[in-house]
Amino acid sequence: MDFHVSLAGRGDLTSRIYKQLRGAILDGRLRGGERLPPTRELARRLDVSRNTVAVAYERLSAEGFLVARVGAGTFVRTEPIERVRARTAPGGDGVRPREVWRSLPLPADTGSDTPAYDFRPGIPDAGLFPLESWRRLIAGEFRSAAIHPARYGDPCGHAGLRAAIARYFGVSRSVRADADDVLITHGAQQALDLIGRILIEPGDCVAVEEPGYAPARLLFQSLGARVTGVPVDAEGIDVTAIPPTARLVYVTPSHQFPLGTPMSLDRRTALLAWAERHGALVVEDDYDSEFRFGDRPLEPLQSLDRHGHVVYVGSFSKTLLPMLRLGFLVAPASLRPALRTAKQLSDRHGELPTQAALARFIDEGMLARHIRRATRDYSARHELIVTSLRRDFADRLRLVPSAAGLHVCARFIHDTPADADQVIERARQSGVAVESLARHYGDRPPEPGLVVGYGAISPTRIGEGLRLLAASW
């Protein structure tokens, strides 16, 4: 492999080469079995004699760090070597981030450990994803004819995918858009970031639902906004409680996160009227509304908007796979040029072969078939959990009605937030992962409750998982 060697500093050239190669082996940069450059090649790159490099290699071989194989080259030994402390970036306190970044919580642990009974919300079942069909589509996009001539793409995304999204969501969700109105993003979170970048000045007021989606709140805070939580009731966000100075209002009207209730038509109308009076923008995050088990969906705010005050945000992370990081936004004409520029400055464009594959996935009807199949599966899991919570937890939890999405919410009847934390911790020790409702509050005192997901747990494990959860009281 290519390896950088610096000849600056004291000592003869052979010693410097030896010490740097030895250090790279000890801290793991050069791994067991890796092939080093031939002595002639490394000597040429370093502009030293071949003998200078050869002596360094011989010394490392004598000490057991390298193994020479006749006709093959020189390799790092494959037997375990006692490691020293790994190399890290320079420390020190010379440069610090803006103060807001010192107050934001660290990202949640995204390690590979999976709980035995995984009731965490927002995680779809990867086993339902049509992987073979997706692999075929991706392979087709990497044919030479598909990638030549090599060039950068439109910051707004693959033209075919933008058109497919406009058609699909125009039919399935009544979103009013054509391809020019759509901008492809790396999930909903990047869409929110782009909107915030073009709209929010430091100190601007941003209103969010309370309880609500914490990553959105934290993102707006990171941009310098004064974020205010607005209470949510059975009809959705309380429009009368939105600060009149709010520049932006973030809502999840189709399936409120985390409570799960939809925003009523009266509230939708009132929110749009409020936005028009105050010249504010409403960001509509259509969070996991594709999976619907009962009530007919109400029209999105975007389709009711007549004056350009709504940006519609969608994501494929819940319908497909989170690792694909594909989302989109639909913006009014007044914001499109700025959003396009912000996207170009942010990352130029996304992964065009993946976007092209998704366009075919939608146009060939595979997305609709996948959602129908997944909805049937998630509906059965939803029913199992709702039945158990109503039957076995009736004296402990009050279920919040919900007929869509990948989770349900239940409020504690008697216990305090501290009691709820103890229940969740004891459940964790039993291998049950469930989320606290309290973590979704920002400004107001948190309400004790549970957010119970069912995308990541198989139906056969739900009963035992809920039994262990009940035993955690």
Side-chain angles (χ1 to χ4, degrees), residues 9 26 167 360 387 441:
L26 287 173
R167 287 192 299 271
R360 292 175 59 198
T387 299
Y441 284 80

Side-chain angles (χ1 to χ4, degrees), residues 201-229:
E201 299 276 4
D204 279 352
C205 178
V206 169
V208 298
E209 297 167 321
E210 181 91 323
Y213 186 55
R217 170 191 287 272
L218 297 174
L219 188 148
F220 295 136
Q221 286 179 354
S222 76
L223 296 174
R226 293 183 296 106
V227 180
T228 299

Side-chain angles (χ1 to χ4, degrees), residues 276-440:
E276 185 179 354
R277 287 196 309 272
H278 293 85
L281 181 75
V282 175
V283 177
E284 177 180 18
D285 189 346
D286 204 6
Y287 181 84
D288 71 6
S289 65
E290 295 89 350
F291 306 120
R292 182 162 295 278
F293 320 127
D295 303 335
R296 294 181 59 185
L298 294 170
E299 282 193 280
L301 291 164
Q302 192 270 351
S303 68
L304 299 172
D305 178 31
R306 294 294 181 268
H307 302 284
H309 287 275
V310 175
V311 173
Y312 181 91
V313 172
S315 171
F316 296 96
S317 295
K318 307 298 182 295
T319 51
L320 301 179
L321 291 174
M323 67 177 63
L324 292 178
R325 303 312 305 151
L326 285 167
F328 65 96
L329 61 82
V330 177
S334 60
L335 297 181
R336 285 203 298 270
L339 286 167
R340 187 180 190 276
T341 302
K343 183 65 167 62
Q344 183 168 24
L345 293 176
S346 175
D347 67 352
R348 189 71 183 234
H349 61 75
E351 298 178 3
L352 295 180
T354 305
Q355 294 181 17
L358 179 57
R360 292 175 59 198
F361 190 78
I362 296 172
D363 286 340
E364 293 178 18
M366 285 184 273
L367 176 62
R369 289 196 296 273
H370 168 61
I371 289 177
R372 285 195 298 270
R373 177 193 172 200
T375 298
R376 289 193 298 268
D377 197 288
Y378 293 142
S379 177
R381 304 184 201 189
H382 175 272
E383 183 61 29
L384 279 173
I385 289 178
V386 167
T387 299
S388 177
L389 291 179
R390 286 175 174 162
R391 181 189 64 227
D392 304 327
F393 295 77
D395 59 336
R396 301 167 181 173
L397 298 173
R398 184 174 66 256
L399 192 67
V400 179
S402 173
L406 292 173
H407 73 270
V408 295
C409 182
R411 294 183 170 101
F412 281 65
I413 296 175
H414 305 295
D415 296 332
T416 66
D419 297 326
D421 290 342
Q422 292 176 13
V423 168
I424 292 169
E425 174 57 24
R426 284 195 290 268
R428 186 192 66 78
Q429 294 173 6
S430 300
V432 178
V434 66
E435 197 166 274
S436 171
L437 175 61
R439 67 173 296 187
H440 301 290

Side-chain angles (χ1 to χ4, degrees), residues 169-284:
F169 286 90
V171 173
S172 67
R173 297 292 291 119
S174 191
V175 171
R176 297 187 298 119
D178 62 21
D180 291 338
D181 302 315
V182 178
L183 186 150
I184 308 302
T185 64
H186 297 297
Q189 199 70 7
Q190 188 188 38
L192 301 182
D193 185 56
L194 295 173
I195 295 165
R197 285 172 182 268
I198 70 162
L199 201 71
I200 297 172
E201 299 276 4
D204 279 352
C205 178
V206 169
V208 298
E209 297 167 321
E210 181 91 323
Y213 186 55
R217 170 191 287 272
L218 297 174
L219 188 148
F220 295 136
Q221 286 179 354
S222 76
L223 296 174
R226 293 183 296 106
V227 180
T228 299
V230 180
V232 175
D233 60 24
E235 291 192 70
I237 193 169
D238 183 356
V239 177
T240 64
I242 300 175
T245 57
R247 175 85 165 133
L248 182 152
V249 183
Y250 170 80
V251 291
T252 53
S254 296
H255 180 235
Q256 200 278 332
F257 187 87
L259 298 180
T261 52
M263 185 185 296
S264 70
L265 181 58
D266 287 344
R267 286 286 172 85
R268 294 171 190 243
T269 304
L271 179 57
L272 290 173
W274 182 96
E276 185 179 354
R277 287 196 309 272
H278 293 85
L281 181 75
V282 175
V283 177
E284 177 180 18

Side-chain angles (χ1 to χ4, degrees), residues 24-222:
I25 294 170
L26 287 173
D27 65 28
R29 283 176 292 149
L30 286 175
R31 298 173 297 176
E34 288 194 288
R35 183 176 183 272
L36 268 63
T39 55
R40 189 186 304 278
E41 179 185 327
L42 185 56
R44 178 183 55 77
R45 293 208 320 254
L46 298 178
D47 195 22
V48 299
S49 73
R50 182 184 179 188
N51 188 60
T52 298
V53 176
V55 171
Y57 277 24
E58 289 169 3
R59 184 175 172 186
L60 289 165
S61 297
E63 294 177 0
F65 290 101
L66 300 180
V67 176
R69 301 174 188 165
V70 178
T74 304
F75 299 82
V76 180
R77 62 176 283 186
T78 55
E79 292 80 6
I81 298 174
E82 184 177 349
R83 303 294 182 194
V84 298
R85 184 169 62 88
R87 286 166 61 93
T88 61
D93 297 325
V95 181
R96 293 179 177 272
R98 289 190 296 123
E99 189 61 31
V100 65
W101 290 100
R102 296 168 64 86
S103 63
L104 296 178
L106 292 172
D109 181 20
T110 55
S112 58
D113 291 343
T114 300
Y117 304 93
D118 194 350
F119 291 103
R120 292 174 296 175
I123 304 176
D125 186 345
L128 299 178
F129 182 67
L131 186 59
E132 289 304 317
S133 297
W134 182 256
R135 183 182 289 121
R136 173 178 58 80
L137 294 174
I138 286 290
E141 294 305 324
F142 278 96
R143 296 191 309 272
S144 58
I147 62 175
H148 290 293
R151 61 180 181 272
Y152 290 109
D154 188 330
C156 291
H158 186 275
L161 178 57
R162 292 160 61 199
I165 286 172
R167 287 192 299 271
Y168 180 85
F169 286 90
V171 173
S172 67
R173 297 292 291 119
S174 191
V175 171
R176 297 187 298 119
D178 62 21
D180 291 338
D181 302 315
V182 178
L183 186 150
I184 308 302
T185 64
H186 297 297
Q189 199 70 7
Q190 188 188 38
L192 301 182
D193 185 56
L194 295 173
I195 295 165
R197 285 172 182 268
I198 70 162
L199 201 71
I200 297 172
E201 299 276 4
D204 279 352
C205 178
V206 169
V208 298
E209 297 167 321
E210 181 91 323
Y213 186 55
R217 170 191 287 272
L218 297 174
L219 188 148
F220 295 136
Q221 286 179 354
S222 76

